[in-house]
Amino acid sequence: MKIIDYIKIDWNTWLCRVKVTPKQPKTEIFSVLDDGTVKIRLKAVPEKWKANKELISFLAKDLWISKDDIDIIAWASDQLKILKFKNLDKIWK
């Protein structure tokens, strides 16, 4: 399962809704909910942005983009997050 399959374009902005579960045995994309939300398990603990940093690093590696190309634009301190991606046009070609 790849995250690229669940990124939506809205007003020329690449967005994805994710639900993270920290403190898991390994970091992985786990499943997709009926509404398109991607469930991701994270090995990191949810303190001092460790889980968010791991999420961004994991997705950047999966998409072959820079970590700077991923922003958490909503609910950064919650398990449910909205991510904004930049420079994905090179992937879609």
Side-chain angles (χ1 to χ4, degrees):
M1 183 180 314
K2 292 284 189 181
I3 192 72
I4 195 72
D5 297 328
Y6 302 98
I7 297 173
K8 310 274 190 250
I9 189 163
D10 186 28
W11 296 94
N12 292 327
T13 304
W14 302 91
L15 301 172
C16 184
R17 204 162 106 152
V18 299
K19 183 176 182 179
V20 298
T21 306
K23 298 194 291 188
Q24 297 299 302
K26 73 181 211 177
T27 297
E28 64 183 345
I29 298 172
F30 178 62
S31 66
V32 179
L33 301 176
D34 290 338
D35 67 356
T37 300
V38 180
K39 289 181 72 176
I40 299 176
R41 292 177 173 169
L42 298 173
K43 193 171 184 177
V45 295
E47 58 187 41
K48 297 183 182 177
W49 275 74
K50 290 179 184 176
N52 285 343
K53 287 178 182 177
E54 183 171 316
L55 173 66
I56 289 170
S57 293
F58 173 72
L59 294 178
K61 184 177 177 182
D62 187 59
L63 293 168
W64 293 63
I65 61 175
S66 168
K67 291 184 275 187
D68 295 333
D69 290 335
I70 303 172
D71 293 315
I72 300 173
I73 61 169
W75 309 305
S77 61
D78 292 340
Q79 284 187 305
L80 186 64
K81 303 169 189 304
I82 296 180
L83 305 175
K84 178 181 174 183
F85 298 86
K86 295 176 253 172
N87 297 322
L88 288 185
D89 52 335
K90 59 187 173 190
I91 295 173
W92 289 93
K93 291 182 180 181

